[in-house]
Amino acid sequence: MSNNPFAPLNSAAAPRFAAKLAPPADFLSVMPVPKGAPAFPKQHPSHGEPVHRWPYFDASGGLLGYACRFVRADGSKTYQPLTLFRETASGALKWKWKGWTEPRPLYGLDRLAARPGALVVLCEGEKAADAAGELVPDCVAVTSPNGSKSAGKADWRMLRGRRVVIWPDADAPGLAYASAAAELILVAGAASLAQIEPPTGIAEGWDAADALAEGWSQERALSLVAGARPIGWAETLTPIPMPSVATPALVADDGGKRGPGRPPWHDTLLALTAEFELWHTPKKMTFASILMPEGHRENWRLSSEAFARHISLKAFEDTGRVPSEAAIKETVRILEAKAIAYGPCRKEWLRVGQRDGNLYLDLGCDRWRAVEVSPRGVQILDSHDLPFVRPEGMQPLPEPEFGSERGIDELRPFVNVSTEADFHLIVAWVLGAMRDAEEYPLLILNGEQGTGKSTLSRLLRSIVDPHAVDILSPPKEDRDLFVLAQHTHLVALDNLSKVENWMSDSLCILATGGALASRSMYTNDGLSILEAKRPVILNGIPTLADRPDLAQRSITVRLRPVPEEERTTSADIRRAWAEAAPRVLGTILEALSTGLREVEGIKLDKLPRMAGFARFMVAAAPGLGLDGAALYEAYSANQTELANTAFENNPVAAAVVAFMNGVLGDAWRGTPTELLECLSDPAVTTDRTRNSFGWPKTPQAVGTAMARIAPALRARGIDAQQRKSGKMFWEIRKT
């Protein structure tokens, strides 16, 4: 038997796992699926389209095939594998509704390889394995293909040296499968083996998927796994019967009571966490930097559920017992106090960061790898001490590939714009969004229905800051927007019909940095401060940057209608993007290095509102094969167009221009009340405009409106200043 547990599945195996070594004479199994293979069939000739399709991958992430579930006309379920074969006569590749050549691969080989030290949970069926992966995310959930009677046809060698817990279905076939799999896992050389005893009162056939559907918490599932009964050779010879009175799953340290001579739980947990490095942020958030068995460091917030799960599992592995929830909370409070009192103060990084003139990007993978971008080049760090943190929902970036021959042109087929200038502005926005920058312009995607606004938003997000929820509907209030910004580096809002005034103000704050302060919930005098500076994507049919201050902070591109002959399916776009994205990301990272190297030498004749972004954009342009001056001209033209649009859409601005055109002389002076009366004159403003929502109804409101449009008025030769000489008044001059 090979010493490599992740050796190719078609290699020779020990006799115990090799019931069928010879493939059919007319077809040979092909694993993994090569690039250029034909698309798999969407429908089974008898069962129709599957209701679910589970992909199987090898240890390096190569696709091996699919397990498909179908629902028959009578409502019953059936399963069929879908794998790739090569016809021996012609060499043609063809998908067939048949299983892999034995020994068959396990579901989850890629996760096993990525997390060599994690506990393995074996379930019956892919659906149950996926559910177990959600319920106990610190473990790796796997299954074998083709149901409960096929355990002997699977290749269990990759469980050699692993700690394994079996989560059986609570019925006779499930227990039989567990027994058969247990014997084979022991033969494969597992380090330890245990089996969960289902809790009391469950339905027949109950499994991990049922637990997830019933709303089990991760803590409850972890307790069930931790209470699994160790089994060995003698217990695997016959199926383990269901107990007549089920034994409750191990929960919390004998009901919270300490045995004679047993130390308090917080002493035990503090000893187990003694090697953790504790630190805090300027806002007193507390974290632990943990050296993992794989050799990398992870930063976990002490108050997070992930940290509680980690120390629960560590306690169980060390003591054989599970600490109570109260003991964990007590320990966390002590660790938080120590982190603030004795730990260093660091600014946490969310997806991006900078240090000593270099930029850093968190790849989001299980090994916590990061990309270092310096003026000298780009490298991937397998281990580091960078203060990256990961809120719930963060997803991994593609593994970047460098040195692409096509460069940024590889992104062009996915960006549905009419002009190269608009394409280059989108690329420039991506460059800005992947930095820890002083400012982030908003990217606004306009276009009629069916122009791919949401699709492009998702694709751009996937190479900047992929998230479990990629694009969201607009929030209802500013607090919701700022809370969202605490949990993601990039804010992407979908299908906006308009930008309310409060949202426009909040988006301006996100673009250049700021904070929202409000009373803490459930307190009388507590203050909650939400601080954020984030890149933002908005998309919608109408013009969204219709206020001058928002327009100055935005890049707006309009997507073109897609002709019918160019339309393609979302699935085809995802497949093509999955292949291109690593090279696109690598190209962007290389351009960032160019920008760091050249930015100090960039001098702009006229600085726009987002001056830092503009300078870096021009500096990085040569790294993309672009002309920096032409790119700056395109950006300036976009800003001018947005400013004009915002001015034309502002009723007060139009009224001021009309009013001053009728003023004798070069200047007008008057109080806010007099200004409102003049602007409301029927000769200046129509009844429809005066009755609209955006028209100011009070002198105070007209003053606020004038302050907002003052920069836009100056650009059109009208200087509006609020002055005070005994009382407040406005002075408006033609310049």
Side-chain angles (χ1 to χ4, degrees):
M1 178 163 43
S2 170
N3 290 327
N4 179 10
F6 296 105
L9 293 169
N10 286 334
S11 62
R16 183 172 192 89
F17 300 103
K20 298 178 182 178
L21 292 178
D26 52 345
F27 283 95
L28 295 174
S29 177
V30 177
M31 294 186 294
V33 175
K35 289 185 177 180
F40 59 82
K42 301 298 184 4
Q43 292 189 333
H44 187 277
S46 302
H47 305 308
E49 188 172 353
V51 297
H52 201 95
R53 185 184 292 111
W54 289 276
Y56 276 60
F57 298 101
D58 64 15
S60 60
L63 179 65
L64 301 175
Y66 300 91
C68 303
R69 182 177 68 185
F70 301 87
V71 177
R72 299 189 182 98
D74 61 0
S76 61
K77 295 180 295 186
T78 187
Y79 295 82
Q80 287 287 338
L82 178 60
T83 57
L84 188 66
F85 285 82
R86 186 185 302 277
E87 190 174 22
T88 54
S90 65
L93 296 173
K94 183 178 181 180
W95 289 92
K96 299 177 73 66
W97 295 98
K98 62 181 299 182
W100 293 273
T101 301
E102 297 176 21
R104 298 167 179 166
L106 295 183
Y107 177 66
L109 291 178
D110 52 334
R111 297 189 293 267
L112 281 171
R115 303 174 64 187
L119 181 72
V120 180
V121 177
L122 172 67
C123 300
E124 182 186 334
E126 295 83 7
K127 180 180 179 182
D130 286 351
E134 291 190 44
L135 290 170
V136 281
D138 291 333
C139 303
V140 175
V142 301
T143 191
S144 59
N146 297 96
S148 61
K149 297 182 179 180
S150 300
K153 300 178 181 180
D155 189 346
W156 301 96
R157 291 174 296 164
M158 55 289 305
L159 299 186
R160 182 189 304 120
R162 302 297 291 257
R163 297 171 295 120
V164 183
V165 171
I166 301 176
W167 188 330
D169 289 7
D171 54 19
L175 294 172
Y177 170 77
S179 179
E183 183 177 354
L184 296 167
I185 291 169
L186 289 172
V187 169
S192 66
L193 184 62
Q195 181 170 318
I196 288 172
E197 295 184 357
T200 307
I202 58 172
E204 184 174 0
W206 182 90
D207 61 7
D210 294 310
L212 183 64
E214 292 167 5
W216 275 44
S217 67
Q218 292 181 352
E219 289 74 14
R220 187 179 180 188
L222 178 62
S223 294
L224 183 67
V225 172
R229 177 166 56 88
I231 57 177
W233 275 102
E235 296 173 272
T236 63
L237 301 179
T238 57
I240 303 171
M242 288 284 289
S244 55
V245 178
T247 303
L250 182 62
V251 284
D253 188 25
D254 306 325
K257 300 177 181 178
R258 286 192 289 123
R262 187 177 291 174
W265 258 121
H266 67 263
D267 287 349
T268 301
L269 294 176
L270 288 173
L272 292 173
T273 58
E275 74 274 16
F276 296 174
E277 182 189 2
L278 304 177
W279 53 280
H280 66 277
T281 71
K283 292 189 291 186
K284 305 303 181 184
M285 292 189 295
T286 55
F287 291 87
S289 295
I290 304 172
L291 182 63
M292 307 305 289
E294 296 84 0
H296 66 278
R297 297 170 67 86
E298 299 184 6
N299 303 317
W300 291 0
R301 190 167 181 178
L302 293 177
S303 60
S304 67
E305 292 186 5
F307 182 75
R309 291 194 300 268
H310 180 77
I311 61 175
S312 294
L313 182 60
K314 192 175 179 67
F316 173 73
E317 292 174 342
D318 192 78
T319 68
R321 299 176 293 126
V322 179
S324 67
E325 183 177 353
I328 292 175
K329 289 183 177 180
E330 182 181 34
T331 303
V332 167
R333 284 200 304 271
I334 297 172
L335 293 175
E336 287 178 330
K338 292 177 66 176
I340 293 173
Y342 309 118
C345 181
R346 298 170 181 158
K347 177 68 175 71
E348 78 279 16
W349 295 355
L350 177 57
R351 186 65 81 175
V352 300
Q354 63 174 334
R355 177 190 290 175
D356 300 329
N358 299 334
L359 300 177
Y360 295 90
L361 177 70
D362 184 3
L363 287 177
C365 61
D366 288 342
R367 294 294 302 272
W368 284 62
R369 302 167 75 209
V371 179
E372 181 184 71
V373 182
S374 73
R376 299 173 301 280
V378 184
Q379 64 173 329
I380 296 178
L381 306 178
D382 291 324
S383 61
H384 55 79
D385 63 349
L386 304 173
F388 279 119
V389 299
R390 293 185 178 178
E392 290 290 332
M394 179 183 282
Q395 299 293 300
L397 283 160
E399 182 80 9
E401 297 178 12
F402 303 108
S404 170
E405 295 181 358
R406 293 183 58 193
I408 202 59
D409 288 339
E410 194 146 15
L411 176 63
R412 187 64 178 88
F414 302 95
V415 180
N416 179 39
V417 293
S418 300
T419 68
E420 285 303 302
D422 280 350
F423 172 64
H424 295 158
L425 287 175
I426 289 177
V427 173
W429 177 87
V430 173
L431 280 169
M434 294 183 68
R435 303 167 56 223
D436 181 13
E438 293 298 322
E439 56 205 6
Y440 295 108
L442 289 84
L443 177 63
I444 301 177
L445 304 177
N446 279 144
E448 62 187 60
Q449 183 178 356
T451 52
K453 301 182 294 296
S454 299
T455 298
L456 181 56
S457 298
R458 290 187 174 96
L459 295 187
L460 294 177
R461 166 149 221 166
S462 71
I463 58 167
V464 176
D465 181 38
H467 197 271
V469 183
D470 44 16
I471 53 178
L472 294 168
S473 57
K476 300 299 183 184
E477 60 179 11
D478 52 2
R479 182 181 177 87
D480 292 340
L481 181 61
F482 272 79
V483 168
L484 173 63
Q486 308 305 302
H487 295 271
T488 178
H489 169 63
L490 179 105
V491 176
L493 304 180
D494 188 38
N495 198 26
L496 278 74
S497 57
K498 65 179 297 187
V499 175
E500 302 285 355
N501 289 341
W502 70 262
M503 182 182 288
S504 181
D505 292 339
S506 296
L507 291 174
C508 288
I509 293 173
L510 286 184
T512 53
L516 176 72
S518 62
R519 182 174 62 85
S520 299
M521 298 181 67
Y522 312 115
T523 67
N524 292 324
D525 57 359
L527 183 65
S528 176
I529 300 176
L530 300 175
E531 185 179 7
K533 180 173 56 182
R534 300 284 184 263
V536 177
I537 300 177
L538 309 178
N539 73 64
I541 294 175
T543 300
L544 298 176
D546 55 1
R547 287 177 42 162
D549 51 352
L550 184 62
Q552 288 182 335
R553 294 170 170 86
S554 301
I555 296 173
T556 295
V557 297
R558 188 162 188 86
L559 305 189
R560 66 183 179 90
V562 182
E564 291 187 5
E565 62 272 14
E566 294 183 19
R567 290 194 177 277
T568 185
T569 65
S570 297
D572 289 339
I573 293 174
R574 285 195 298 270
R575 278 194 294 271
W577 179 244
E579 181 179 349
R583 294 187 293 275
V584 172
L585 178 57
T587 298
I588 294 292
L589 293 170
E590 290 169 331
L592 287 173
S593 177
T594 301
L596 291 177
R597 189 165 56 250
E598 304 294 337
V599 67
E600 292 302 321
I602 299 299
K603 306 297 181 184
L604 301 177
D605 294 336
K606 183 179 179 181
L607 293 179
R609 179 62 181 267
M610 312 294 276
F613 164 77
R615 284 187 66 207
F616 193 86
M617 169 186 70
V618 173
L624 299 169
L626 305 178
D627 183 283
L631 185 58
Y632 179 69
E633 288 180 7
Y635 177 63
S636 299
N638 190 270
Q639 290 279 287
T640 301
E641 181 182 354
L642 284 177
N644 290 336
T645 301
F647 190 88
E648 293 165 0
N649 289 338
N650 189 291
V652 177
V656 171
V657 172
F659 170 62
M660 290 303 294
N661 286 338
V663 169
L664 296 177
D666 293 333
W668 176 92
R669 296 177 67 182
T671 65
T673 300
E674 293 169 338
L675 177 60
L676 180 58
E677 291 175 354
C678 292
L679 297 182
S680 301
D681 191 296
V684 175
T685 307
T686 65
D687 290 342
R688 181 177 180 180
T689 299
R690 289 194 303 272
N691 294 326
S692 67
F693 176 78
W695 185 256
K697 303 299 191 296
T698 66
Q700 181 181 5
V702 79
T704 301
M706 289 294 293
R708 289 187 182 279
I709 64 172
L713 288 172
R714 280 194 295 272
R716 286 160 178 77
I718 297 176
D719 182 43
Q721 298 282 344
Q722 189 177 34
R723 303 187 184 282
K724 185 174 182 180
S725 178
K727 60 180 180 179
M728 299 297 299
F729 67 93
W730 279 92
E731 183 177 78
I732 306 176
R733 291 182 175 275
K734 300 175 185 177
T735 60

